[in-house]
Amino acid sequence: MKGWWRKLAKVDLGDRKVQFEEIDKDILVDYIGGRGLGGRLLYEEIKSTKDPLDENVLVFTRGPLTGTMVPTSGRFSVSTISPLTGTILDSNVGGFFGKHFSSAGIDALVLKGKSEVPVVLKVDNGVVTVEETDLWGKTVSEALDSLNGASAVIGPAGENLVRFANVVTDDDRVFGRGGVGAVMGSKNLKGLSVKGDKKVEIDDQELLKNYLKKAISKIESSPVTSRGLRKFGTPILVNLLDWLGMFPLENFQRVKDERVDNLSGETMKDEIVEGHYRCHACPIRCGLKTKTDKMKGKGPEYESVWALGANLGIFDLKKTTEANYLCNELGLDTITTGGTIASAMEMFEKGVWDETDGFGSDVTELIKVIAYREEAGDELAEGSKRLCERYNCDYSMSVKGMELPAYDPRGAAGQALSFATSNRGGCHLRGYMIGEEIFGVPKLFDRFNTSGKAEVVKRSQERNAYLDSLIVCKFSSFALSEEYYSRFLEAVTGVDYTVGELHKIGERIYNLERMFNVSNGFSRGDDRLPERFNEPLIKGASSGNVFDMEKMLDDYYEAMGWDREGRPTEKKLEKLNLGFMV
Ligand code: SF4
């Protein structure tokens, strides 16, 4: 079995002891790596916690393809319990960090306990050390400048336990959503740096070469990967989603505004883009290097230009771009930062809370006070759900406490169901139905039709769970059929995986995560969209439409083999080799 090192390092940050263990072969075959392996190892270490910022574990994982030349395979993953949602959380990052971690000869790092003083963790060719640091208090770029090797750090937001703090790598990619940065901050862990010179072993070079050649040609001939994403980055979606009446404005209160084009990929290209960048082994190159009159940086991505722009009633591209730079410098998740400020702006406009201004006002100072938990920032740092619960209003556009991304669920039935049933909360990356319901990849389904959608959502969630375990970028799947991933995995590891087996692995991972959440008190009542989405939109191509979510949930639970409360049945768990969770 090649591709894996079969080695994990367990680190107790309290006494700085490091222990190495061999990872069981069957676990690697059954969970692959990344999100799957991370969730499985996390479950061995911690099953629940009263406070994710007091007692928690971080599991960093690579996949067997990480560090090879398989397209988009440079990603790296972390699993933990989210301080924002209380659910299981995984997050994966692009760039080159994963490639460097892979060359250190370890598949997983399990971090437990808490250091008394600020530390950084170093991995050098399989040697793991914990060292005291004077980087506490530094912003992201200041901290990264002081570390050698490929690095990932938290900013002030993570240090101040903002529940949606990110971890940022030295190539400006982030472990986003759900607050991994706050968990690192709670352990006094400022950052990680990794290096090594080991090469991932490949089982069948010829098979790999053959599929690499075919895959590159597919990526070059797909209009999405070779033109849309490459030329305009992810903001290519702005005008498309606006045209579909699904680009939300001002906390999902409305859609359609002629100023939306100010934030589009096309306008970005004309006004702020000065170059492109890519992650390891990626021919797509969707990253955008940008500049405003005052600053230079990377992004914003589609979700960020929406979250810090249209969702806040701000249609000034340069202001939104600078807000994005600031979030990255302070280590804040852009979607939740924007979603939380949007809730607060609606609270202001409706006379519930007056600590912010209304839509369209400048957010620079607000972003800073959130990261440092000063003044009103202290309450905003808890996220929109806690903020709205405190002031007894329902302006939090979140699922399970995680703020929704830039797709109005009233415009796509499958995406609505996928948001509601996502294991980490309001996230588009667990099941990305925009592929099936908008792009027709792998097959087009009517976006307003609810019939049969449960099965399509189930397959999308399974696919994303195994892609997150390989770990590859989901954008590659706009060009590549699932057969490619099974052949890549076979070529690297020597284990013969069919597409059906990959889906079974995805299903196993989804059920493991679901059981983790069920045993922590989550149930059918948590698989819900905010009340706002029971009212139809009054403008645009998605107007007049709401979905019968209860019926879709019934269909979905049945397709998943779960009971009416959304609990995986014993039979289902046994069938997926998850009997140990019964
Ligand atoms: S498509 Fe973009 S995000 Fe995905 S691996 Fe390539 S450069 Fe990175």
Side-chain angles (χ1 to χ4, degrees):
M1 236 173 58
K2 299 198 172 146
W4 293 285
W5 302 110
R6 294 196 59 195
K7 195 167 165 188
L8 82 81
K10 271 189 191 169
V11 183
D12 188 324
L13 293 165
D15 59 15
R16 301 187 195 173
K17 282 205 175 117
V18 181
Q19 246 183 305
F20 290 95
E21 291 178 14
E22 190 174 273
I23 309 177
D24 190 277
K25 259 186 188 174
D26 292 341
I27 287 189
L28 291 173
V29 172
D30 281 0
Y31 295 88
I32 307 177
R35 171 175 162 189
L37 180 63
R40 180 68 174 83
L41 296 176
L42 184 75
Y43 182 78
E44 281 174 19
E45 298 295 334
I46 185 166
K47 295 180 179 52
S48 67
T49 176
K50 282 203 178 93
D51 179 0
L53 294 177
D54 181 27
E55 186 196 5
N56 207 343
V57 175
L58 287 160
V59 184
F60 288 91
T61 44
R62 63 177 289 272
L65 307 186
T66 317
T68 69
M69 287 314 290
V70 170
T72 77
S73 64
R75 301 188 80 84
F76 190 59
S77 182
V78 62
S79 298
T80 190
I81 302 176
S82 165
L84 184 69
T85 63
T87 62
I88 190 168
L89 172 74
D90 72 283
S91 173
N92 70 60
V93 73
F96 291 80
F97 191 85
K99 171 190 182 278
H100 290 288
F101 184 88
S102 284
S103 64
I106 299 174
D107 292 306
L109 263 180
V110 178
L111 309 184
K112 306 196 285 187
K114 173 181 174 165
S115 171
E116 289 290 317
V117 294
V119 290
V120 292
L121 187 132
K122 296 193 173 169
V123 182
D124 186 348
N125 258 324
V127 178
V128 181
T129 50
V130 179
E131 295 174 14
E132 288 183 25
T133 180
D134 58 5
L135 295 178
W136 206 256
K138 304 275 187 212
T139 63
V140 164
S141 64
E142 288 167 350
L144 286 170
D145 282 349
S146 304
L147 289 171
N148 293 322
S151 315
V153 299
I154 59 170
E159 295 176 8
N160 291 309
L161 309 185
V162 176
R163 288 184 188 273
F164 43 94
N166 283 347
V167 182
V168 187
T169 66
D170 58 335
D171 37 25
D172 297 306
R173 294 287 184 180
V174 299
F175 291 96
R177 313 303 333 258
V180 180
V183 180
M184 275 180 57
S186 73
K187 293 179 177 300
N188 271 323
L189 178 62
K190 180 70 181 179
L192 297 94
S193 77
V194 298
K195 57 182 175 184
D197 56 17
K198 296 182 169 50
K199 271 199 139 179
V200 179
E201 283 186 20
I202 308 290
D203 185 77
D204 187 337
Q205 287 283 8
E206 276 314 301
L207 182 64
L208 182 62
K209 264 193 213 156
N210 185 12
Y211 270 86
L212 278 180
K213 206 169 149 202
K214 287 187 193 168
I216 302 290
S217 142
K218 285 269 175 200
I219 287 169
E220 291 306 323
S221 58
S222 153
V224 179
T225 49
S226 72
R227 292 204 289 281
L229 285 169
R230 189 176 291 166
K231 199 164 167 193
F232 300 103
T234 51
I236 184 68
L237 286 171
V238 171
N239 278 338
L240 174 64
L241 270 291
D242 180 54
W243 177 69
L244 293 163
M246 287 179 67
F247 192 68
L249 308 174
E250 299 179 355
N251 207 27
F252 290 85
Q253 293 185 96
R254 59 189 184 94
V255 293
K256 301 304 290 179
D257 188 307
E258 60 191 20
R259 295 169 295 172
V260 165
D261 185 49
N262 297 354
L263 305 173
S264 69
E266 292 84 341
T267 306
M268 278 178 70
K269 185 166 171 20
D270 288 344
E271 294 189 3
I272 62 167
V273 173
E274 59 166 13
H276 297 258
Y277 72 103
R278 64 176 178 91
C279 305
H280 167 71
C282 180
I284 304 171
R285 302 192 295 273
C286 79
L288 299 177
K289 292 182 189 165
T290 53
K291 68 169 184 339
T292 66
D293 306 329
K294 297 182 222 154
M295 304 161 92
K296 271 185 174 203
K298 308 253 178 82
E301 301 285 347
Y302 168 68
E303 305 295 342
S304 309
V305 81
W306 162 78
L308 300 168
N311 200 35
L312 303 179
I314 298 170
F315 297 92
D316 180 320
L317 179 60
K318 289 185 181 166
K319 274 192 184 166
T320 299
T321 301
E322 285 169 8
N324 176 69
Y325 296 159
L326 185 58
C327 284
N328 289 343
E329 182 64 0
L330 299 173
L332 284 167
D333 183 75
T334 52
I335 302 178
T336 290
T337 301
T340 302
I341 295 175
S343 301
M345 285 177 164
E346 188 172 350
M347 288 164 76
F348 172 83
E349 295 204 339
K350 296 193 170 151
V352 179
W353 201 52
D354 62 2
E355 296 290 333
T356 65
D357 292 320
F359 290 104
S361 56
D362 189 82
V363 293
T364 313
E365 284 311 309
L366 268 184
I367 291 172
K368 288 182 193 161
V369 294
I370 291 173
Y372 289 95
R373 276 191 178 268
E374 289 165 352
E375 304 156 19
D378 194 35
E379 286 181 89
L380 294 166
E382 294 288 293
S384 68
K385 180 170 178 263
R386 286 175 175 82
L387 179 74
C388 290
E389 278 171 358
R390 188 159 184 182
Y391 292 94
N392 202 19
C393 62
D394 57 359
Y395 306 141
S396 169
M397 297 301 113
S398 61
V399 173
K400 301 182 182 83
M402 182 182 279
E403 287 66 19
L404 286 165
Y407 309 89
D408 196 302
R410 286 163 287 196
Q415 192 58 58
L417 180 62
S418 185
F419 281 153
T421 56
S422 154
N423 282 332
R424 71 172 189 180
C427 157
H428 56 296
L429 296 171
R430 310 296 84 180
Y432 190 61
M433 290 295 293
I434 300 305
E436 282 87 348
E437 294 184 315
I438 308 294
F439 288 107
V441 178
K443 191 177 157 198
L444 187 64
F445 290 85
D446 179 348
R447 67 188 174 111
F448 296 116
N449 191 356
T450 57
S451 168
K453 273 299 162 60
E455 188 59 43
V456 188
V457 168
K458 173 178 182 280
R459 283 195 65 82
S460 178
Q461 289 172 337
E462 288 168 4
R463 186 171 60 246
N464 282 356
Y466 81 67
L467 292 176
D468 285 338
S469 304
L470 290 170
I471 318 161
V472 291
C473 177
K474 295 180 187 78
F475 293 149
S476 64
S477 65
F478 280 116
L480 305 180
S481 71
E482 295 186 274
E483 185 67 22
Y484 279 87
Y485 303 110
S486 75
R487 294 285 70 84
F488 282 138
L489 200 48
E490 182 191 345
V492 173
T493 65
V495 181
D496 183 15
Y497 286 95
T498 63
V499 171
E501 280 158 352
L502 287 180
H503 269 272
K504 189 165 181 194
I505 289 170
E507 191 181 8
R508 177 178 300 123
I509 294 164
Y510 218 79
N511 277 265
L512 179 140
E513 293 168 347
R514 181 76 183 188
M515 275 307 287
F516 197 101
N517 290 346
V518 165
S519 61
N520 280 286
F522 288 86
S523 66
R524 183 180 184 116
D526 299 292
D527 290 342
R528 289 232 153 73
L529 297 178
E531 277 300 310
R532 174 153 299 162
F533 302 114
N534 292 326
E535 295 291 326
L537 289 160
I538 52 170
K539 263 172 119 178
S542 300
S543 60
N545 192 54
V546 287
F547 301 118
D548 182 349
M549 291 301 293
E550 290 305 317
K551 169 78 175 75
M552 280 208 291
L553 264 190
D554 284 341
D555 293 349
Y556 174 80
Y557 291 165
E558 195 183 331
M560 295 298 282
W562 298 351
D563 68 17
R564 276 190 55 81
E565 279 308 302
R567 291 175 295 232
T569 59
E570 209 173 310
K571 196 169 143 207
K572 171 58 75 175
L573 293 175
E574 297 288 0
K575 213 170 149 193
L576 294 170
N577 294 346
L578 292 172
F580 62 91
M581 296 189 94
V582 171

